[in-house]
């Protein structure tokens, strides 16, 4: 996968050189490039923002430096119509990205679609992600209109709160997407059992010692009985999800639940009604 991230604070993205993502880059699983938006300005002060039309607080990012930056990314990877550039080499010396679909342009924004594990899987199937990190009051909206002609445009929010810039969203999204790419996480089984993989939160986990400060590891995990451990963990997933994220319980597909799940949910105050999991009425 190729990823380009454009920001006025490229240093903010230095953590992407660390840990599993850094290793994936070194091993060539991820071709990740960070660009300084100010490189694409033309004035002496390298201006990227100006006052908002209509008045109001704060500054707005000018569209032209963004268009220049995004065009340079497109030029670097070559056309996305299924045909590689004539000399089969990208302008910046990297491998051209050959795809039938345009690159996905992720514009972090509190006004975007909320990022979740489903979106992480979807983005992990793309060949080329481009991130445009806004600052100030955001980017002139005409840039998004222009970019939607060249990219698959995705305004994406990390959640219902406001950050100072899009860089934290890039760190979060690249980490969540990157670990889904083949070879990035050493044991692919760990992706199958974790939170959100099946619509539930992960069960609690424990390690040695079996007694720590007077607290025992649950007996079921010490039994060596694999079926019993699986049953215990599934029940714990349901208990934890019902307590912490009842909204996720309401989104479960009843057809994917076993009879044991349905019984456990009933104990937790949920029942299946008209093909949906709902809070039990209690009568
Ligand atoms: N005026 C904007 C609004 O109310 O929608 C907020 C601008 S915010 C101060 C500056 C930048 O931070 C945004 O352009 C976006 O790139 C980023 N940002 C802020 N909150 C975010 C969130 N919840 N998810 C993703 N990016 C966010």
């Amino acid at each position: 996968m190729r990823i380009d991230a454009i920001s006025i604070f490229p240093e903010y993205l230095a953590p992407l050189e660390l840990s599993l993502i850094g290793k994936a880059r070194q091993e060539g699983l991820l071709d990740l490039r960070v660009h300084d938006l100010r490189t694409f300005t033309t004035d002496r002060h390298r201006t990227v923002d100006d006052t908002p039309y209509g008045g109001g607080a704060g500054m707005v990012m000018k569209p032209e430096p963004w268009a220049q930056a995004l065009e340079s990314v497109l030029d670097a990877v070559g056309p996305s119509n299924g045909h590689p550039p004539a000399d089969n080499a990208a302008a910046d010396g990297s491998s051209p990205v050959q795809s039938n679909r345009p690159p996905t342009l992720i514009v972090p924004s509190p006004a975007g679609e909320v990022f979740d594990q489903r979106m992480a899987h979807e983005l992990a199937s793309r060949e080329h992600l481009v991130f445009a990190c806004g600052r100030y009051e955001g980017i002139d909206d005409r840039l998004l209109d222009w970019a939607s002609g060249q990219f698959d445009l995705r305004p994406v929010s990390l959640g219902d709160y406001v950050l100072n810039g899009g860089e934290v969203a890039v760190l979060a999204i690249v980490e969540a997407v990157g670990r889904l790419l083949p070879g990035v996480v050493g044991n692919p089984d760990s992706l199958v059992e974790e939170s959100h993989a099946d619509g539930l939160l992960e069960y609690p986990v424990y390690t040695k010692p079996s007694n720590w400060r007077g607290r025992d590891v649950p007996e079921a995990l010490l039994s060596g009985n694999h079926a019993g451990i699986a049953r215990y963990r599934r029940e714990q997933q349901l208990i934890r999800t019902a307590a912490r994220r009842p909204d996720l319980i309401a989104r479960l597909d009843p057809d994917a639940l076993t009879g044991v799940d349905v019984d456990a949910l009933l104990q937790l105050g949920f029942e299946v009604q008209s093909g949906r999991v709902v809070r039990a009425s209690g009568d």
Side-chain angles (χ1 to χ4, degrees):
M1 172 183 275
R2 170 151 175 159
I3 297 179
D4 289 271
I6 308 164
S7 162
I8 57 168
F9 293 121
E11 325 77 60
Y12 215 119
L13 301 174
L16 295 173
E17 286 167 18
L18 305 175
S19 185
L20 288 181
I21 297 299
K23 193 158 157 270
R25 293 173 74 180
Q26 280 168 13
E27 290 173 354
L29 300 172
L30 196 56
D31 179 2
L32 193 155
R33 288 147 195 260
V34 177
H35 311 272
D36 183 351
L37 180 68
R38 292 196 195 275
T39 315
F40 301 93
T41 55
T42 48
D43 66 312
R44 208 157 54 90
H45 301 291
R46 309 176 86 204
T47 311
V48 292
D49 59 319
D50 210 330
T51 52
Y53 277 114
M59 301 292 271
V60 174
M61 296 191 102
K62 293 161 73 66
E64 188 54 24
W66 277 110
Q68 295 287 337
L70 292 170
E71 276 172 344
S72 104
V73 167
L74 289 175
D75 288 348
V77 296
S80 58
N81 57 5
H83 304 290
D87 65 357
N88 207 27
D92 64 358
S94 62
S95 309
V97 175
Q98 295 174 34
S99 169
N100 286 322
R101 68 194 324 168
T104 301
L105 176 61
I106 299 170
V107 183
S109 164
E113 185 186 348
V114 176
F115 184 64
D116 61 9
Q117 191 67 8
R118 179 199 53 78
M119 198 193 292
H121 277 281
E122 187 200 329
L123 296 177
S125 71
R126 305 294 170 95
E127 288 174 50
H128 188 188
L129 305 180
V130 182
F131 289 88
C133 300
R135 283 265 154 184
Y136 316 117
E137 294 307 317
I139 306 172
D140 185 313
D141 217 61
R142 292 168 296 179
L143 186 274
L144 305 190
D145 185 46
W146 170 84
S148 64
Q150 352 256 327
F151 294 87
D152 176 12
L153 182 69
R154 295 290 289 267
V156 176
S157 170
L158 276 198
D160 293 340
Y161 45 84
V162 179
L163 301 164
N164 287 334
E167 292 77 9
V168 170
V170 175
L171 295 176
I173 295 170
V174 169
E175 184 146 321
V177 170
R179 66 198 302 282
L180 298 176
L181 300 177
V184 172
V185 170
N187 181 357
D189 283 351
S190 50
L191 300 179
V192 177
E193 292 190 1
E194 63 194 359
S195 294
H196 304 294
D198 59 0
L200 294 172
L201 304 182
E202 195 186 48
Y203 44 78
V205 294
Y206 305 89
T207 186
K208 295 175 193 68
S210 61
N211 179 283
W212 176 77
R213 297 197 179 197
R215 290 160 174 84
D216 286 327
V217 168
E219 191 62 39
L221 299 177
L222 305 174
S223 65
N225 173 345
H226 294 300
I229 291 172
R231 245 191 337 269
Y232 170 81
R233 285 180 164 166
R234 179 72 177 179
E235 191 188 10
Q236 289 299 313
Q237 278 192 283
L238 292 166
I239 291 171
R240 180 175 266 192
T241 311
R244 296 183 183 175
R245 293 290 305 276
D247 57 307
L248 294 180
I249 296 279
R251 279 189 248 155
L252 289 174
D253 174 7
D255 293 337
L257 298 174
T258 64
V260 177
D261 290 339
V262 173
D263 287 346
L265 283 170
L266 205 51
Q267 298 289 320
L268 296 166
F270 292 89
E271 63 188 2
V272 177
Q273 246 184 43
S274 316
R276 293 176 52 220
V277 183
V278 294
R279 282 213 182 267
S281 52
D283 45 50

